[in-house]
Amino acid sequence: DGGITQSPKYLFRKEGQNVTLSCEQNLNHDAMYWYRQDPGQGLRLIYYSQIVNDFQKGDIAEGYSVSREKKESFPLTVTSAQKNPTAFYLCASSMTSGSRETHSDTQYFGPGTRLTVL
Amino acid sequence: QKEVEQNSGPLSVPEGAIASLNCTYSDRGSQSFFWYRQYSGKSPELIMFIYSNGDKEDGRFTAQLNKASQYVSLLIRDSQPSDSATYLCAGFEAGNTPLVFGKGTRLSVIA
């Protein structure tokens, strides 16, 4: 059963704690992405990775960190430096990234993790 | 900064009508566009993509792209209450970068 999985579905964090959100895909996709979505808002790109052991900052990377040690996995750590982390976090993957006119760039999303800071 | 703009809505249409969702983009180099549907509390799911000028049809959905006007739209025929969701438009920035998403249009289909 191919797809993208995210865990946990719901996560509660105390202020000052770091937490790590999991994202795994078995689609053999090269590129993976993390987005943040706030209520009534669009998607904002946090980090993305086009190949293993390489990643780039998105529009709102401050207070977040990622790693890409395996093709299948792209975990996101929300650090205590992120001042307002309560949001819906979405992971996505695509076969490649940014190649115009190739539809291998279609992004597919995981089910999301809803993070709440207590 | 490359942008994709959408009217946030809500757009309300009666059941059975045609819903028209619109999107404009700032990057003339953008070539491909994607429409996603997102139900409340769920993740986005791909409806269709379009990369050529003109229309592309898939069931009740038609995507339209006009590169000269930098405009892309999604038409939903015979709208159903189950179509009520937020619709996200996304396109490419120029170069080797990820998709740029609009903020989405909330559609409400009234039974």
Side-chain angles (χ1 to χ4, degrees), chain A residues 79-114:
Chain A
T79 75
S80 57
Q82 171 48 239
K83 297 305 179 190
N84 186 21
T86 295
F88 188 40
Y89 289 86
L90 289 159
C91 179
S93 71
S94 63
M95 197 176 300
T96 62
S97 172
S99 314
R100 286 181 3 203
E101 301 182 28
T102 66
H103 314 300
S104 55
D105 288 52
T106 303
Q107 288 186 18
Y108 297 94
F109 286 86
T113 292
R114 197 165 296 279

Side-chain angles (χ1 to χ4, degrees), chain A residues 6 9 33 35 37 40-45 48 50 59 88 90 97-103 105-112 114, chain B residues 1 27 29-32 34 36 38 40-46 49-51 88 92-99 101-104:
Chain A
Q6 291 185 244
K9 187 174 181 179
Y33 313 82
Y35 293 90
Q37 188 174 39
Q41 301 297 311
L43 304 178
R44 291 189 288 168
L45 183 65
Y48 65 103
Q50 295 171 306
D59 300 319
F88 188 40
L90 289 159
S97 172
S99 314
R100 286 181 3 203
E101 301 182 28
T102 66
H103 314 300
D105 288 52
T106 303
Q107 288 186 18
Y108 297 94
F109 286 86
R114 197 165 296 279
Chain B
Q1 175 143 358
D27 175 22
S30 295
Q31 295 291 326
S32 299
F34 300 80
Y36 289 84
Q38 185 177 25
S40 180
K42 302 296 185 182
S43 63
E45 54 181 332
L46 180 72
F49 61 81
I50 185 167
Y51 60 94
L88 302 170
F92 280 123
E93 291 187 0
N96 194 28
T97 56
L99 298 181
F101 281 85
K103 292 186 177 181

Side-chain angles (χ1 to χ4, degrees), chain A residues 28-97:
Chain A
N28 200 32
H29 284 173
D30 290 314
M32 298 185 74
Y33 313 82
W34 274 105
Y35 293 90
R36 168 181 174 144
Q37 188 174 39
D38 293 282
Q41 301 297 311
L43 304 178
R44 291 189 288 168
L45 183 65
I46 305 173
Y47 270 99
Y48 65 103
S49 168
Q50 295 171 306
I51 58 172
V52 174
N53 292 322
D54 188 42
F55 48 83
Q56 288 78 41
K57 293 182 179 180
D59 300 319
I60 57 164
E62 186 175 351
Y64 299 97
S65 65
V66 292
S67 63
R68 187 86 187 276
E69 297 177 1
K70 297 186 301 181
K71 188 175 185 178
E72 302 79 18
S73 178
F74 191 40
L76 173 74
T77 296
V78 184
T79 75
S80 57
Q82 171 48 239
K83 297 305 179 190
N84 186 21
T86 295
F88 188 40
Y89 289 86
L90 289 159
C91 179
S93 71
S94 63
M95 197 176 300
T96 62
S97 172

Side-chain angles (χ1 to χ4, degrees), chain B:
Chain B
Q1 175 143 358
K2 309 302 187 285
E3 291 185 340
V4 173
E5 300 279 351
Q6 294 182 258
N7 187 323
S8 62
L11 172 67
S12 294
V13 300
E15 184 175 358
I18 296 175
S20 177
L21 304 161
N22 305 314
C23 172
T24 59
Y25 57 96
S26 62
D27 175 22
R28 285 195 172 274
S30 295
Q31 295 291 326
S32 299
F33 296 88
F34 300 80
W35 282 100
Y36 289 84
R37 176 176 62 199
Q38 185 177 25
Y39 291 113
S40 180
K42 302 296 185 182
S43 63
E45 54 181 332
L46 180 72
I47 298 175
M48 61 195 306
F49 61 81
I50 185 167
Y51 60 94
S52 296
N53 257 342
D55 296 358
K56 179 181 179 182
E57 188 173 316
D58 184 1
R60 296 187 296 113
F61 298 97
T62 299
Q64 299 175 318
L65 176 58
N66 183 325
K67 292 182 182 179
S69 301
Q70 296 179 243
Y71 178 94
V72 58
S73 64
L74 180 70
L75 302 178
I76 307 174
R77 290 182 298 282
D78 189 23
S79 295
Q80 301 297 310
S82 59
D83 295 325
S84 298
T86 295
Y87 290 79
L88 302 170
C89 173
F92 280 123
E93 291 187 0
N96 194 28
T97 56
L99 298 181
V100 176
F101 281 85
K103 292 186 177 181
T105 298
R106 187 156 56 93
L107 172 66
S108 179
V109 180
I110 311 299

